[in-house]
Amino acid sequence: MFADDENSFYYNGLPPDEWERARQRIIGRAQAARARAVRELARAVLRPVATLAATAGKWWRAYALRRERNAAVRELRALDDRTLKDIGINRCEIEWVVDGQDDTRLRDATIAANRSCRRDPAAGTGTALRPQPSARQLIKKHAA
């Protein structure tokens, strides 16, 4: 049946039922090869489309983030200097604060606020708080 090469098949001497099986095998291989070719073509076409979609998604998120940042800057710039001072920022620090680059300043301000609440002499206030009487001492004082 086969000549020297496996792909060159001698079909003339086949009975009709073997011929039909060989034909079905050939058709099945052709359909599998076609399906592989279509899958590879689809991958080749869709891979750049997927990359483009991912890039467009990144651009869109960056655009939305930029718009959000600009809106925050606009709102803070609309405030007067006194309100900005109440918040704890100067007008020249607005973009710096909105960008989130004020971590060190906020950390230092939090430390200073905690020190001033305790009135620790090491914090530089120079005055220590008087010890507060406990609830038990207050009850004894008012009961007497």
Side-chain angles (χ1 to χ4, degrees):
M1 304 275 184
F2 288 103
D4 298 303
D5 188 11
E6 183 179 309
N7 292 329
S8 61
F9 191 76
Y10 179 67
Y11 294 102
N12 289 339
L14 291 178
D17 58 335
E18 286 183 25
W19 167 249
E20 188 60 32
R21 278 186 293 205
R23 190 172 146 270
Q24 292 298 327
R25 244 188 345 260
I26 292 169
I27 291 172
R29 285 185 201 150
Q31 288 174 343
R34 186 181 313 124
R36 270 193 312 273
V38 168
R39 275 195 307 271
E40 289 172 6
L41 178 65
R43 282 187 194 130
V45 169
L46 294 179
R47 187 173 295 132
V49 172
T51 304
L52 180 64
T55 303
K58 289 177 187 176
W59 286 346
W60 182 257
R61 284 188 294 277
Y63 173 72
L65 186 64
R66 183 71 177 178
R67 283 182 52 97
E68 193 174 309
R69 179 198 174 279
N70 287 344
V73 168
R74 260 194 318 274
E75 288 180 28
L76 286 173
R77 283 187 179 156
L79 299 175
D80 61 342
D81 290 333
R82 183 175 179 166
T83 307
L84 288 173
K85 188 175 180 183
D86 287 343
I87 294 172
I89 60 174
N90 296 324
R91 191 163 294 280
C92 63
E93 297 174 327
I94 290 175
E95 291 187 12
W96 188 58
V97 170
V98 170
D99 287 337
Q101 299 174 354
D102 62 338
D103 293 339
T104 304
R105 185 174 65 94
L106 287 177
R107 187 187 69 230
D108 294 343
T110 305
I111 292 169
N114 289 339
R115 285 183 180 163
S116 66
C117 286
R118 291 185 309 202
R119 300 266 193 238
D120 187 10
T125 58
T127 59
L129 286 177
R130 287 184 282 145
Q132 295 293 325
S134 67
R136 191 173 288 184
Q137 290 172 342
L138 287 174
I139 292 172
K140 286 182 183 178
K141 181 177 176 183
H142 289 293

